């Protein structure tokens, strides 16, 4: 007899930034598999349309999607107001949007630093400012932030990314304090996860070995105790739990989802 856990997400509405690809896509699928509604935003309109058609064929659920950049306050507000109004209010958000850039601390231009700060810190603040007014008042709101383990231990080849992730961690603590008890704020600090970004990194590296062998080499280089990269659907399962009423006593938590890197 198969036992399953009801995460109590049925008929609840959530907004996901970066919904059309990678982890955001997997989080949306997990929510819909639990009977909830996954709405969201993405910068790429073509990816968003493709994702919407995929969801319609798999789940046949009403879904509100909008193209917006989390750095563009005007378009983001318009998108979140559109989603909030049509959905009748939301129960929480999952912040997945963002991108990285490689370079050591003295190699980055001020423009590079500003870009990473705008995406990781100001982008999160923009999402919160424009989504919180749509949180339903009859339940505890949920804020789930996807960050990275480099918030605690910088990756020297991604200095600006690491520094901004540390800022996000500090910000999340303040948010957890200020939004309690009406909402919870929890952070998933990610280690290496297999997404299109990893494939792009392999291509940029110019490596002559197959992608799977490159992943194995990267696993060893990064000190992943479980000897593999994580999968987006594994992250999605954890995010869904943090959106669930079952996690109502958790706030201000930072969960390392890194295959054991943090203790290696």
């Amino acid at each position: 007899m198969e036992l399953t856990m009801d995460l109590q997400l049925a008929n609840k509405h959530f907004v996901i930034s970066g919904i059309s690809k990678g982890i955001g896509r997997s989080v949306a699928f997990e929510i819909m598999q639990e009977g909830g509604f996954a709405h969201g935003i993405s910068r790429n309109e073509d990816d968003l349309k493709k994702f919407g058609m995929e969801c319609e064929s798999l789940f046949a659920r009403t879904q509100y999607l909008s193209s917006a950049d989390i750095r563009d306050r005007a378009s983001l507000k318009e998108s979140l107001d559109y989603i909030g109004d049509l959905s009748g209010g939301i129960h929480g958000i999952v912040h997945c949007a963002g991108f990285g850039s490689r370079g050591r601390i003295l190699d980055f231009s001020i423009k590079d630093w500003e870009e990473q700060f705008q995406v990781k810190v100001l982008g999160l603040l923009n999402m919160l400012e424009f989504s919180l007014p749509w949180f339903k008042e009859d339940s505890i709101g949920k804020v789930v932030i996807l960050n990275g383990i480099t918030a605690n231990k910088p990756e020297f080849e991604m200095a600006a990314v690491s520094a901004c992730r540390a800022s996000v961690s500090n910000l999340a603590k303040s948010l957890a304090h200020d939004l309690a008890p009406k909402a919870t704020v929890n952070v998933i600090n990610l280690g290496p996860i297999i997404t299109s970004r990893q494939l792009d990194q392999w291509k940029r590296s110019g490596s002559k070995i197959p992608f799977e062998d490159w992943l194995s080499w990267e696993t060893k280089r990064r000190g992943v105790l479980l000897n593999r990269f994580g999968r987006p659907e594994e992250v999605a399962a954890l995010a869904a739990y943090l959106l669930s009423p079952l996690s109502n006593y958790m706030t201000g938590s930072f969960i390392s989802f890194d295959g054991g890197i943090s203790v290696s």
Side-chain angles (χ1 to χ4, degrees):
M1 176 179 172
E2 184 179 356
L3 298 177
T4 60
M5 178 184 292
D6 179 9
L7 294 180
Q8 302 171 34
L9 299 182
N11 299 316
K12 293 188 175 181
H13 295 260
F14 301 96
V15 175
I16 303 164
S17 66
I19 195 173
S20 63
K21 296 172 66 176
I23 295 172
R25 172 180 174 274
S26 291
V27 171
F29 281 8
E30 185 73 22
I31 290 170
M32 289 187 281
Q33 286 168 355
E34 291 288 333
F37 294 86
H39 315 295
I41 61 167
S42 175
R43 286 187 301 162
N44 190 303
E45 195 164 348
D46 290 336
D47 287 343
L48 202 59
K49 289 179 180 178
K50 182 179 178 181
F51 170 75
M53 290 188 290
E54 186 179 17
C55 290
E56 185 177 356
S57 66
L58 290 173
F59 302 102
R61 297 183 70 79
T62 303
Q63 185 180 41
Y64 303 116
L65 303 172
S66 185
S67 177
D69 189 319
I70 57 174
R71 296 168 294 182
D72 185 335
R73 286 174 56 82
S75 69
L76 182 62
K77 183 179 188 306
E78 182 179 355
S79 293
L80 292 175
D81 284 349
Y82 162 78
I83 293 171
D85 183 43
L86 292 178
S87 65
I90 62 176
H91 296 86
I93 66 170
V94 183
H95 186 56
C96 302
F99 58 86
S101 55
R102 301 191 69 81
R104 285 184 171 266
I105 191 166
L106 297 180
D107 296 332
F108 276 101
S109 67
I110 292 299
K111 183 179 178 181
D112 293 329
W113 281 97
E114 289 175 343
E115 183 177 58
Q116 281 302 305
F117 190 81
Q118 287 172 354
V119 170
K120 294 194 166 45
V121 180
L122 298 185
L124 170 59
L125 287 172
N126 290 339
M127 276 292 295
L128 287 163
E129 180 180 345
F130 301 133
S131 63
L132 286 174
W134 292 103
F135 273 35
K136 288 181 173 290
E137 296 183 358
D138 59 354
S139 63
I140 295 176
K142 298 288 183 172
V143 177
V144 177
I145 301 168
L146 297 192
N147 204 20
I149 57 173
T150 53
N152 303 317
K153 183 180 180 181
E155 184 174 346
F156 302 125
E157 295 294 336
M158 299 185 74
V161 172
S162 299
C164 289
R165 290 202 183 284
S167 296
V168 169
S169 289
N170 191 292
L171 177 62
K173 293 177 182 179
S174 296
L175 286 169
H177 178 274
D178 289 357
L179 295 182
K182 294 183 178 180
T184 65
V185 179
N186 293 293
V187 178
I188 303 175
N189 283 329
L190 298 172
I193 307 297
I194 297 179
T195 66
S196 59
R197 292 182 187 180
Q198 301 296 335
L199 185 61
D200 290 342
Q201 186 177 339
W202 167 67
K203 291 177 180 178
R204 287 196 305 270
S205 73
S207 176
K208 303 300 183 182
I209 62 175
F211 180 57
E212 291 299 326
D213 292 340
W214 179 84
L215 286 176
S216 178
W217 180 83
E218 278 289 301
T219 297
K220 295 175 182 177
R221 182 184 72 83
R222 299 189 193 190
V224 183
L225 295 183
L226 297 183
N227 295 326
R228 66 173 177 86
F229 275 43
R231 299 186 294 271
E233 58 270 27
E234 293 175 311
V235 182
L238 176 56
Y241 173 74
L242 294 176
L243 293 173
S244 165
L246 300 180
S247 67
N248 279 355
Y249 198 57
M250 288 180 65
T251 196
S253 296
F254 295 80
I255 303 171
S256 294
F257 197 87
D258 61 4
I261 290 178
S262 296
V263 297
S264 64

